Amino acid sequence: MSFLSIQGLHKRYGATPIFSDIDCEIAQGEFVTLLGPSGCGKSTLLRCIAGLTEVNGGRILLDGQDLVPLTPQKRGIGMVFQSYALFPNMTVEQNVAFGLRMQKVAPGDRDQRVREVLELVELGELAGRYPHQLSGGQCQRVALARSLVTRPRLLLLDEPLSALDARIRKHLREQIRRIQLELGLTTLFVTHDQEEALTLSDRIFLMDAGRIVQSGDAETLYTTPVNAFAAGFIGNYNLLDADSASRLLARPVNGRVAIRPESIGIGGDAGIEAQVRGHSLLGNVIRYRVEARGVELLVDVLNRSADDLYGDGQALRLVIDAAAVREVA
Amino acid sequence: MSRADVTPAGVYHRAVVYGLFLILLLPLAGTLLYSLATSWSATILPEGLTLKWYLALWSDERFLRAFGQSLVVCFGALALSTVLILPLMFVVHYHFPRLDGLMNILILLPFAVPPVVSSVGLLQLYGSGPLAMVGTPWILIGCYFTVALPFMYRAIANNLQAINLRDLMDAAHLLGASTWQAALLVVLPNLRKGLMVSLFLSFSFLFGEFVFANLLVGSRYETLQVYLNNMRNSSGHFNSALVISYFFFVLVFTWAANRLNKDKP
């Protein structure tokens, strides 16, 4: 039986539905990501699970107990916000201890647990600082410590990395994953960043316009998108309509197809004739914009050496593996 | 000395600032000197210096009573404002954020109606009947509350917007705090700065208020400004001492308030 089970959950503001008929099952200790563009309802779903926003129907079962009638205080859920939401009038230590104070944990026990959790997020030496004396990354680690110290049954992370710069984001996301595995904590993570979702999650729920479009592990989502939205949101798929696809592949195609840029091979003597229209360097990968049979495509190749670089306007040949061509709804 | 100070533009800027400062300070310096002079009429400088005007003032029982009564009215009005406005602000910003627009119009009303006009209305309303308060300090406390309202509301509203109220409340709730605990332990301490600033601003303003005090209460409950008005025919030296004392009190009060506010984060 699953640990967290969401059944037929729906939410609307006035007549506008935010999400409807959400069903999902999450196992204990699983790290699940809700991925989707802004406005798809993922954050509202998270707030509903936390009890911060009321739902209009459906059930949320955590360990067999229906959470819907419970206040946020009684749900035993920890949450980290994009804005950190640290209490500015309290030191790091007081922030972390707040939840334990509310639970009336004895001061001795409380101090020990605060110390332990601050060590866990590697902030032991900053215990006496105020939030305004910390960097963004440190603030978010304090927020994480604050939500972990009460030993929640479920941890919710609402875009916790979005306000941070790239380097810190990468580091913190590894730290979050390490702690989550160490504590075996069931975690729901909300993000609009596909890279975060793909690297962190055991499983991903892809959301669009208030519905779960596809769910599965990173590999499944990346290689087998179920529809054009999924293909467009994850990776940098080349999405072609039936006409263009038929022309490019020189065979009749019935629907839209998606082709991953890195599945197209270039540089051989055989294949479809094409011309380079432009290129951009993405570090270890070079992304070419090429035109073949009147269809524009993105092609990613590994950046091995400067000698291999094709100049703009240069002619080349493309090899498109039939297995990499995916028909999408 | 930094480079900006010696360029012609720098000198000019400094000259303007100091010149303005001097012009603003001149009347005050004149009043101070007059309050310290034995007699100053037909000469360029006073004939002699004395503290007798201050001694006379600070041993005048009527002055001391007016001073105390001014304090009572001001603190009363500010206490009422704090008790009413803080919970109101919290409710508006947390539960009914849409009411903020209405509140912004509402708090402009005390500015829209000149004191002379609104005191005529207040005299009508509270002159007789079950709420006959004219001539008592109570009407001043109530009236000063409305005068302080805009200052208090704006300062606290800015403060509330700066602290991200909703996320703080949500975080506190999830950590097990009730709404009361969250408001008292998390929100209120973070409003201290805005509250203090608006209280001191309102205090210095209300302490010098004359129109309402004179029209609604007058000599029946003499405040400092009304006392000053009633003493206008007595010695100018005496009145100068009064003005300087008043000014000095507000100055010290404001300075102390700033000091208190600066230390903590």
Side-chain angles (χ1 to χ4, degrees):
Chain A
M1 204 191 106
S2 64
F3 184 63
L4 175 68
S5 162
I6 295 174
Q7 302 169 355
L9 204 66
H10 56 92
K11 169 74 189 165
R12 55 178 185 272
Y13 285 123
T16 320
I18 304 302
F19 56 76
S20 38
D21 297 326
I22 298 285
D23 290 289
C24 60
E25 306 286 326
I26 293 166
Q28 185 144 25
E30 216 179 355
F31 193 113
V32 170
T33 298
L34 295 175
L35 174 68
S38 55
C40 73
K42 57 191 193 303
S43 279
T44 311
L45 177 58
L46 206 67
R47 291 180 60 84
C48 288
I49 296 171
L52 300 171
T53 304
E54 283 186 14
V55 292
N56 296 107
R59 300 208 298 168
I60 305 167
L61 297 175
L62 183 63
D63 206 7
Q65 179 192 22
D66 190 6
L67 293 182
V68 172
L70 298 181
T71 60
Q73 290 90 334
K74 298 225 167 74
R75 295 192 180 195
I77 289 177
M79 183 159 171
V80 173
F81 299 82
Q82 184 181 353
S83 68
Y84 323 134
L86 293 181
F87 307 139
N89 57 312
M90 299 183 197
T91 61
V92 167
E93 197 173 4
Q94 290 165 336
N95 263 286
V96 176
F98 186 83
L100 298 178
R101 263 170 74 202
M102 293 300 112
Q103 291 181 353
K104 305 206 165 50
V105 173
D109 191 14
R110 188 169 79 200
D111 292 348
Q112 166 139 20
R113 278 167 71 176
V114 168
R115 256 199 316 279
E116 279 170 10
V117 78
L118 282 178
E119 290 305 322
L120 187 67
V121 297
E122 296 163 12
L123 281 177
E125 66 277 25
L126 300 182
R129 298 263 190 103
Y130 282 93
H132 70 94
Q133 297 166 315
L134 303 178
S135 70
Q138 290 168 337
C139 279
Q140 204 53 295
R141 275 146 68 198
V142 176
L144 183 66
R146 187 178 65 175
S147 60
L148 291 176
V149 77
T150 53
R151 296 175 188 154
R153 297 186 284 172
L154 176 67
L155 180 65
L156 306 178
L157 304 164
D158 188 7
E159 308 232 6
L161 307 173
S162 301
L164 304 171
D165 61 55
R167 238 167 49 95
I168 309 238
R169 199 175 337 179
K170 219 164 166 179
H171 178 71
L172 188 52
R173 119 187 144 196
E174 282 156 15
Q175 204 173 13
I176 288 176
R177 180 60 163 161
R178 174 178 63 74
I179 291 170
Q180 183 267 336
L181 286 172
E182 218 172 291
L183 302 179
L185 200 58
T186 315
T187 303
L188 253 174
F189 179 86
V190 158
T191 185
H192 60 263
D193 185 311
Q194 52 141 328
E195 191 191 323
E196 273 174 19
L198 294 174
T199 50
L200 276 175
S201 327
D202 292 320
R203 219 140 49 93
I204 300 170
F205 290 100
L206 181 65
M207 285 185 71
D208 180 37
R211 282 172 194 283
I212 295 177
V213 175
Q214 187 176 5
S215 67
D217 60 17
E219 181 68 22
T220 312
L221 248 77
Y222 190 72
T223 51
T224 54
V226 292
N227 63 14
F229 168 79
F233 199 77
I234 296 188
N236 289 285
Y237 273 89
N238 290 296
L239 272 174
L240 308 177
D241 58 36
D243 280 353
S244 310
S246 308
R247 202 161 59 224
L248 180 71
L249 302 170
R251 64 178 166 89
V253 176
N254 292 324
R256 297 224 273 172
V257 303
I259 307 169
R260 270 187 291 137
E262 68 272 24
S263 67
I264 302 174
I266 60 172
D269 298 327
I272 306 161
E273 277 180 30
Q275 208 169 25
V276 177
R277 288 277 174 253
H279 71 276
S280 48
L281 191 66
L282 309 176
N284 58 339
V285 167
I286 303 169
R287 175 161 299 165
Y288 290 105
R289 198 156 48 77
V290 302
E291 195 184 310
R293 298 176 182 161
V295 180
E296 204 163 272
L297 292 170
L298 293 179
V299 179
D300 284 357
V301 293
L302 268 182
N303 183 9
R304 287 182 205 275
S305 86
D307 302 337
D308 295 342
L309 199 71
Y310 290 91
D312 294 353
Q314 207 173 329
L316 46 71
R317 283 175 182 273
L318 303 180
V319 181
I320 302 176
D321 183 7
V325 178
R326 201 178 152 71
E327 291 194 26
V328 290
Chain B
M1 193 184 266
S2 71
R3 211 160 10 123
D5 293 333
V6 286
T7 61
V11 170
Y12 171 71
H13 289 155
R14 272 149 50 105
V16 168
V17 170
Y18 287 136
L20 192 69
F21 194 63
L22 206 66
I23 292 168
L24 288 173
L25 209 60
L26 214 54
L28 212 58
T31 313
L32 175 66
L33 199 56
Y34 199 67
S35 71
L36 289 169
T38 46
S39 153
W40 188 8
S41 47
T43 50
I44 293 179
L45 283 174
E47 285 168 22
L49 295 178
T50 174
L51 281 174
K52 72 171 176 181
W53 305 115
Y54 284 94
L55 289 173
L57 177 74
W58 284 93
S59 55
D60 179 9
E61 260 183 44
R62 195 174 154 197
F63 163 74
L64 291 175
R65 188 162 0 100
F67 193 88
Q69 287 174 344
S70 270
L71 285 180
V72 168
V73 170
C74 287
F75 283 128
L78 294 179
L80 181 67
S81 311
T82 310
V83 170
L84 281 179
I85 295 176
L86 267 184
L88 169 88
M89 302 282 310
F90 181 76
V91 171
V92 165
H93 281 83
Y94 186 57
H95 290 292
F96 309 103
R98 277 194 216 161
L99 277 183
D100 192 42
L102 180 70
M103 287 306 299
N104 277 323
I105 296 172
L106 211 61
I107 60 161
L108 282 180
L109 285 182
F111 286 129
V113 185
V116 179
V117 177
S118 62
S119 44
V120 171
L122 289 170
L123 281 172
Q124 289 264 339
L125 256 175
Y126 298 109
S128 57
L131 288 171
M133 293 192 291
V134 171
T136 69
W138 303 113
I139 192 165
L140 268 192
I141 289 178
C143 176
Y144 282 0
F145 163 75
T146 64
V147 175
L149 182 64
F151 300 107
M152 303 272 295
Y153 190 92
R154 270 285 34 112
I156 299 173
N158 291 343
N159 204 163
L160 271 172
Q161 272 149 18
I163 64 166
N164 205 343
L165 179 66
R166 182 152 292 277
D167 280 358
L168 288 187
M169 289 297 291
D170 287 347
H173 279 151
L174 281 169
L175 291 167
S178 67
T179 300
W180 275 104
Q181 283 174 318
L184 288 177
L185 297 173
V186 174
V187 179
L188 195 62
N190 291 306
L191 295 183
R192 200 178 55 99
K193 205 154 207 164
L195 182 66
M196 289 316 234
V197 168
S198 59
L199 281 178
F200 290 121
L201 186 69
S202 309
F203 178 82
S204 346
F205 183 77
L206 294 179
F207 201 63
E209 206 285 329
F210 171 68
V211 179
F212 283 121
N214 192 41
L215 287 174
L216 295 176
V217 181
S219 303
R220 278 167 290 179
Y221 191 84
E222 210 170 44
T223 63
L224 206 57
Q225 292 293 321
V226 176
Y227 171 76
L228 178 60
N229 182 51
N230 290 341
M231 298 303 280
R232 65 188 177 279
N233 293 326
S234 65
S235 155
H237 297 287
F238 185 79
N239 285 342
S240 300
L242 173 51
V243 169
I244 292 297
S245 296
Y246 160 77
F247 178 79
F248 193 68
F249 176 72
V250 172
L251 191 72
V252 168
F253 190 80
T254 315
W255 174 78
N258 274 329
R259 276 299 299 269
L260 279 177
N261 234 2
K262 224 175 254 172
D263 297 339
K264 292 190 192 166

